[in-house]
Amino acid sequence: MDSGARAFLQEILQTPSPSGFERPVQEVVRKYAGQFAEQVRTDVHGNVIAVKNPDAPLRVMLAGHCDQIGLIVQHIDSDGYIYAQPIGGWDPIVLVGQRVTLWTKEETVFGVIARKPIHLLTDEERKQVPKLKDLWLDIGAANEEEARKRVRVGDPVTVELAYREMSNNRAASPGMDDKCGTWVVMEALRRMDKARLNCAVHAVSTVQEEVGLRGAKTSSFGIDPQVGIAVDVTFATDCPTIEKKEEGDIRIGRGPVVYRGPNMNPVVVEKLLEAAEAAKIDYQLAASGRPPGTDANVIQINRAGVASGLVSIPNRYMHSPVELVSLDDLDKAADLLARFAESLPADADFTP
Ligand SMILES: [Zn+2]
């Protein structure tokens, strides 16, 4: 990963994008893609679409969702404490004790999420899993009036967007799900040699995946691709307490994961594996007996049907503030998709 690509990854991870509030991160994506894409546009839903070789009749869509799970301000009480609704699927236990940022119109407001100290929890309370409705955000406001001056109902909230590099080229951050995917599709587009492309490639930073795969739905309708590949994160199972017999054997650093199953067109899968083998790119196989909850789910059934695929980045601790991935896996995934697109002839037929 060169320094520009690495800086792009860090910047999108440190820019907020709770579903429905993706504007700041999409601004970063547009700027990056503008350096190498022939066209960059934003649709009315907020999807950013970067294109190479736009006039080719065979259209390939690559989708990585830029939205992240977050919270939204719901209520400010008479003492100035703030209650929030989730945006996307949180395990409330990981929120207790987090530093948070409220992204208001005027400023960024720092806060914390907490509950009363363990000393004061009753025996009954200690046994219970906390619920979001019992947690509050504290921004240090002295009273309701002061809180309302700084924060409005509907302001989006993220946990602190702290990116940490670790050993073995691994990194942890909130929002690896799925800014890794956004990075991979844009970086794949950058790495494609236009002279080798017989297809148009539309790399899409999709919105609102975490609240129902919504941006992939609108953008795939608009682009009308014959081939569509989603890039998302998947569960790395190389940590304690996950059962490989149920979830498969997926390891950090062993390369991108190519999914097989009813959500994946078999010709797309074959061509992905051929591209990986020809370019000597490590990959892992994963199975899903039903369509998983990724953009590939809705891309496949766009209009009269799309030849879909799913390439995933192994991710430990998904939907937590410390999602951990290998940057090597991101690099290899970008190479894989670039070589896949370059390998397609103009008359490629994906009919199973
Ligand atoms: Zn995701």
Side-chain angles (χ1 to χ4, degrees), residues 93 115 121-131 134:
I93 207 164
R115 60 173 180 166
L121 293 176
T122 63
D123 286 348
E124 202 45 46
E125 285 169 331
R126 285 183 194 198
K127 279 183 219 141
Q128 283 167 3
V129 180
K131 295 191 183 70
D134 301 321

Side-chain angles (χ1 to χ4, degrees), residues 65 67 177-178 209-210 232-233 293-294 318-319:
H65 72 87
D67 60 310
D177 178 4
D178 181 34
E209 191 269 359
E210 296 289 357
D232 211 323
V233 291
T294 74
M318 207 184 296
H319 285 203

Side-chain angles (χ1 to χ4, degrees), residues 167-242:
S167 51
N168 296 304
N169 215 20
R170 296 170 182 186
S173 171
M176 288 292 190
D177 178 4
D178 181 34
K179 296 182 190 187
C180 289
T182 303
W183 185 91
V184 167
V185 301
M186 292 302 156
E187 189 59 15
L189 190 75
R190 187 174 78 91
R191 294 180 189 187
M192 284 168 203
D193 180 354
K194 198 197 160 183
R196 291 190 184 172
L197 283 181
N198 299 301
C199 58
V201 181
H202 297 248
V204 188
S205 176
T206 60
V207 296
Q208 298 189 11
E209 191 269 359
E210 296 289 357
V211 292
L213 319 176
R214 295 162 58 82
K217 211 168 191 171
T218 51
S219 58
S220 60
F221 190 95
I223 293 164
D224 189 16
Q226 292 92 331
V227 182
I229 297 180
V231 182
D232 211 323
V233 291
T234 191
F235 308 107
T237 62
D238 57 352
C239 70
T241 71
I242 298 182

Side-chain angles (χ1 to χ4, degrees), residues 4-5 8 27-36 186-187 190:
F8 172 56
E27 184 65 47
V28 177
V29 172
R30 275 193 294 270
K31 217 172 83 199
Y32 189 64
Q35 298 169 34
F36 49 82
M186 292 302 156
E187 189 59 15
R190 187 174 78 91

Side-chain angles (χ1 to χ4, degrees), residues 38-305:
E38 288 164 66
Q39 293 176 356
V40 181
R41 67 179 193 277
T42 307
D43 68 19
V44 76
H45 196 186
N47 300 295
V48 170
I49 302 157
V51 195
K52 256 187 186 175
N53 206 27
D55 298 329
L58 175 61
R59 290 176 299 281
V60 175
M61 170 175 168
L62 306 176
H65 72 87
C66 71
D67 60 310
Q68 65 185 131
I69 59 172
L71 302 169
I72 182 167
V73 172
Q74 167 79 321
H75 175 63
I76 300 167
D77 81 5
S78 55
D79 290 318
Y81 293 112
I82 294 166
Y83 290 82
Q85 272 183 35
I87 295 178
W90 280 105
D91 174 359
I93 207 164
V94 306
L95 287 171
V96 177
Q98 288 297 324
R99 299 182 183 93
V100 295
T101 309
L102 295 84
W103 303 92
T104 72
K105 203 172 174 207
E106 313 293 333
E107 55 171 343
T108 52
V109 175
F110 298 109
V112 294
I113 303 183
R115 60 173 180 166
K116 67 183 177 183
I118 185 161
H119 323 63
L120 307 182
L121 293 176
T122 63
D123 286 348
E124 202 45 46
E125 285 169 331
R126 285 183 194 198
K127 279 183 219 141
Q128 283 167 3
V129 180
K131 295 191 183 70
L132 186 59
K133 70 179 174 60
D134 301 321
L135 303 176
W136 59 90
L137 280 63
D138 186 339
I139 59 164
N143 51 45
E144 177 179 358
E145 197 195 347
E146 196 187 307
R148 284 189 188 277
K149 260 189 208 146
R150 301 186 70 195
V151 175
R152 283 195 305 169
V153 169
D155 282 339
V157 182
T158 63
V159 294
E160 185 179 41
L161 300 179
Y163 171 83
R164 294 279 182 278
E165 289 191 353
M166 306 163 100
S167 51
N168 296 304
N169 215 20
R170 296 170 182 186
S173 171
M176 288 292 190
D177 178 4
D178 181 34
K179 296 182 190 187
C180 289
T182 303
W183 185 91
V184 167
V185 301
M186 292 302 156
E187 189 59 15
L189 190 75
R190 187 174 78 91
R191 294 180 189 187
M192 284 168 203
D193 180 354
K194 198 197 160 183
R196 291 190 184 172
L197 283 181
N198 299 301
C199 58
V201 181
H202 297 248
V204 188
S205 176
T206 60
V207 296
Q208 298 189 11
E209 191 269 359
E210 296 289 357
V211 292
L213 319 176
R214 295 162 58 82
K217 211 168 191 171
T218 51
S219 58
S220 60
F221 190 95
I223 293 164
D224 189 16
Q226 292 92 331
V227 182
I229 297 180
V231 182
D232 211 323
V233 291
T234 191
F235 308 107
T237 62
D238 57 352
C239 70
T241 71
I242 298 182
E243 183 56 71
K244 291 188 172 59
K245 280 184 275 189
E246 290 165 22
E247 306 297 335
D249 186 359
I250 302 297
R251 295 171 193 240
I252 297 270
R254 294 267 178 99
V257 177
V258 178
Y259 264 89
R260 300 180 65 205
N263 192 189
M264 279 54 76
N265 173 284
V267 185
V268 169
V269 173
E270 282 159 24
K271 289 191 183 297
L272 279 169
L273 300 186
E274 282 167 20
E277 270 149 33
K280 297 195 166 51
I281 299 166
D282 300 332
Y283 65 88
Q284 311 179 69
L285 282 177
S288 182
R290 58 196 176 95
T294 74
D295 283 346
N297 186 320
V298 295
I299 291 172
Q300 185 180 34
I301 52 173
N302 177 55
R303 298 188 187 230

